Amino acid sequence: MVSVINTVDTSHEDMIASRAVLPLQHDAQMDYYGTRLATCSSDRSVKIFDVRNGGQILIADLRGHEGPVWQVAWAHPMYGNILASCSYDRKVIIWREENGTWEKSHEHAGHDSSVNSVCWAPHDYGLILACGSSDGAISLLTYTGEGQWEVKKINNAHTIGCNAVSWAPAVVPGSLIDHPSGQKPNYIKRFASGGCDNLIKLWKEEEDGQWKEEQKLEAHSDWVRDVAWAPSIGLPTSTIASCSQDGRVFIWTCDDASSNTWSPKLLHKFNDVVWHVSWSITANILAVSGGDNKVTLWKESVDGQWVCISDVNKGQGSVSASVTEGQQNEQ
Amino acid sequence: MEELDGEPTVTLIPGVNSKKNQMYFDWGPGEMLVCETSFNKKEKSEMVPSCPFIYIIRKDVDVYSQILRKLFNESHGIFLGLQRIDEELTGKSRKSQLVRVSKNYRSVIRACMEEMHQVAIAAKDPANGRQFSSQVSILSAMELIWNLCEILFIEVAPAGPLLLHLLDWVRLHVCEVDSLSADVLGSENPSKHDSFWNLVTILVLQGRLDEARQMLSKEADASPASAGICRIMGDLMRTMPILSPGNTQTLTELELKWQHWHEECERYLQDSTFATSPHLESLLKIMLGDEAALLEQKELLSNWYHFLVTRLLYSNPTVKPIDLHYYAQSSLDLFLGGESSPEPLDNILLAAFEFDIHQVIKECSIALSNWWFVAHLTDLLDHCKLLQSHNLYFGSNMREFLLLEYASGLFAHPSLWQLGVDYFDYCPELGRVSLELHIERIPLNTEQKALKVLRICEQRQMTEQVRSICKILAMKAVRNNRLGSALSWSIRAKDAAFATLVSDRFLRDYCERGCFSDLDLIDNLGPAMMLSDRLTFLGKYREFHRMYGEKRFADAASLLLSLMTSRIAPRSFWMTLLTDALPLLEQKQVIFSAEQTYELMRCLEDLTSRRPVHGESDTEQLQDDDIETTKVEMLRLSLARNLARAIIREGSLEGS
């Protein structure tokens, strides 16, 4: 049973009496702790809300993009309060909170076309951002200190365009010994990307620092809209979810023992485009958002089959939120 | 794709139904947010959303109920106690311990029920009152199911005692009897009370024959005409053979006696002894286990499982556990009489009577909104060694799967998450990694909370999480200009890079303000100083200042020199160090030896010959240069003078 517990009204400014008409939100993301919410929309703004304790306070309204903003991504809190946003204006902007105020910290304008997706790497790798663009390239921004970002670009990653990027969880190869300070363990950095060439590609960083295409996963018959690499729960398998314009969602698994053989399993064929897939924190539930106005939640059952456990539907009707004493007291 | 037994539940998000827009979502640590959006990426997105809200939805709202919190807290204690039960214990002593645990859980549920009942009565808003009342019935159902599971699975009552337990079970859950009894007995003329015969009947239905007899004696007193048959009925009630605790007779003996008694009752029926009193005749039929007679009392029985137990009491009191399910199914069918269909609760109870534990757990999981019940019950049953392992992807068996779900739900709550930690501890397969993933997401709003989380991680040797949390806190402290705090966090995180960063800030602050903040911390760094070169320098530099303050000039001087020659001091700081040397050079007594002076001069020349070019404007550069040149000149002068004095002193006799 799912209950609505809080709503954040993105149309109200605190002081405005009449409802402000707000354009469509394209993306919204909770921060690491679920205390802040970043949203971005076609009005070129990125808004940040504080949503603690059921409240909603607008903390910042960030302007800087010159076109609709498609996606936002929070970096790991150990690097401070950092947010990345990407937009139709071909730019990626990194925002930072310093002394209580949010400011533009860096702007990356290295793409020739709309940047569709941004994703921060696992914090163990440092502060690294992957960006996928409609010009078919993927760029990787690495923070090297003192406001400097190093850029690596993978050109022609996907013909026509790249729609999504998702990092693999950090896994240290070999035994997990406590490394002495200052010495970074040898991580093998990987990420997945989905593109308009109907492919999902897996990329690996080589020893010389260059990124190489490691694998091509073919199963979709139309543009891949989103990819999501599942968090690691200590099992030897890796899992990736992908969704596409062709209405299909696939779950790809790889037995790390044999390595490099990814086998797809069809989760479901929807009647419309599937836009977004995302894993819960412990990777036991996959949420899928599709053109049929629903968000469905899926779980793997006993025998490895995926079962739909809930439907979150937008539509008319009231939701009976269960009354708790807390709410009661507030009234 | 596997078929679920039921359709997945659909949750509607309030908002205008729109065919144009889709729903976007994102996962939070404990919840999910959804908002209306359009995934079509057009440049000019003129579309205005019909629903400008972003919704945050959560699966488990029970976690937020104040009263249920007691349930969670107390059951947590019982759970831990259960895990620690000596595995060596077997047989009777183990069983009695497990039964005790089960009763503890049940009493916690009952306490919760009671409290919620009070709140329901006191509720001012009728809608709230109804809400609480329905919660009470859910809890009541939970206790009902748990009780039955205790009898059948944990107590494992054999034929004979089984019926006694079931009678207790029914008496506990059909409680109108007591209030009815109070009503009737409290009246002036009990036997003339409207509900008198109802009371007697229900007492008989519940097998409370002694009490029924007492009632009948009142009737006998009140109407002497029926005294005779009342007495006969009373005798029948008194002589019904039952198994009582401490009874030494065997089951077969009991059966024989009961058969005998049953036949006696038959005879009375045949002889129409009670024909003059329809009430008594009906009671006799009930005691003969006549189904039709029992079904006439549907209202008093109020549910099919009461019907079942009464039926068993008066037709097959020595029923064996494995035969239960047959009686259960037919009782349900007879009672419902085809008029209504079974509810989820009925199915769960049936599954229990069929000893199908997995089905019980499955149905409960579907029917209940919270994992609490199935997680704890399954865990207990697992301790009774009743569950075979189903190999599941998440959790190697059902017990672990359910505990993981329950514990994850707890982590969504700002304080109940601490309970969740213990549950994860007792999940051998995926507990640790789940804990690792969840614990990093706990917001560290206060120092206290952060320390609590860290303690939990350190106790479990979760070094990665410790490091990550310390780094987050260090970063937070730096942003709030609490350098001391930042430094101690980065030391705890063993983060050399960050320690260097913070040390630099300290040094910068010193240059700007001429004094150190957080002296205590820096003075007591100890071996932690070795974490990074910069930190070591900071510690040693502070030590220099201390020595100077204590007038240990010689020591201070050598320390100062060593800081530069050993290259611990960053180059940018050398000028400051040399400037610090000035007062030592200008002292009356000679502090720096000739050798040391030569070293200092070498450092100075080193510094001045390789001056980096500043990127400032010409005028500023000139000004800076001016200041710099003056400083350098002063230093050269002091060094030269000191050199002269040192040479003279060393050339003369020592000690003069």
Side-chain angles (χ1 to χ4, degrees), chain B residues 461-590:
Chain B
Q461 282 102 43
M462 293 182 171
T463 43
E464 275 310 308
Q465 280 66 33
V466 171
R467 203 169 294 163
S468 156
I469 291 170
C470 288
K471 275 186 180 175
I472 294 172
L473 292 167
M475 175 60 86
K476 225 177 177 182
V478 164
R479 280 204 327 270
N480 293 329
N481 259 321
R482 292 180 291 119
L483 294 180
S485 187
L487 190 57
S488 56
W489 284 123
S490 35
I491 290 174
R492 196 160 173 179
K494 298 200 180 54
D495 187 349
F498 211 78
T500 305
L501 203 133
V502 180
S503 306
D504 269 337
R505 285 280 293 267
F506 267 114
L507 292 167
R508 236 196 358 252
D509 271 2
Y510 169 77
C511 287
E512 282 168 23
R513 292 184 299 161
C515 62
F516 285 109
S517 53
D518 301 281
L519 284 175
D520 260 344
L521 178 63
I522 306 173
D523 282 344
N524 294 311
L525 280 175
M529 216 190 283
M530 298 301 144
L531 183 62
S532 98
D533 279 352
R534 194 56 47 82
L535 185 58
T536 317
F537 170 65
L538 179 66
K540 292 285 174 199
Y541 187 52
R542 166 67 197 139
E543 206 179 313
F544 160 74
H545 278 276
R546 257 209 334 270
M547 285 180 185
Y548 189 90
E550 289 165 11
K551 301 213 193 300
R552 292 159 51 198
F553 295 130
D555 291 332
S558 2
L559 179 57
L560 186 64
L561 191 55
S562 68
L563 285 178
M564 277 190 284
T565 51
S566 63
R567 306 238 177 269
I568 288 186
R571 209 179 185 77
S572 50
F573 218 73
W574 279 18
M575 207 55 206
T576 315
L577 290 176
L578 288 168
T579 320
D580 281 335
L582 268 176
L584 291 170
L585 292 167
E586 297 298 326
Q587 291 276 344
K588 278 233 186 66
Q589 54 212 129
V590 175

Side-chain angles (χ1 to χ4, degrees), chain B residues 176-215:
Chain B
E176 294 80 46
V177 188
D178 293 320
S179 52
L180 191 59
S181 176
D183 258 354
V184 171
L185 289 175
S187 70
E188 270 186 39
N189 243 328
S191 57
K192 298 290 176 246
H193 194 286
D194 278 340
S195 306
F196 176 75
W197 284 110
N198 274 348
L199 177 58
V200 179
T201 312
I202 188 113
L203 287 171
V204 171
L205 289 171
Q206 293 209 337
R208 290 153 83 159
L209 295 176
D210 284 339
E211 290 168 66
R213 263 179 55 223
Q214 280 169 17
M215 292 281 112

Side-chain angles (χ1 to χ4, degrees), chain B residues 69-85:
Chain B
R69 191 170 308 176
K70 280 214 194 101
L71 182 71
F72 299 138
N73 271 314
E74 290 179 21
S75 59
H76 166 256
I78 302 173
F79 173 82
L80 284 180
L82 176 59
Q83 308 311 307
R84 294 174 189 154
I85 278 185

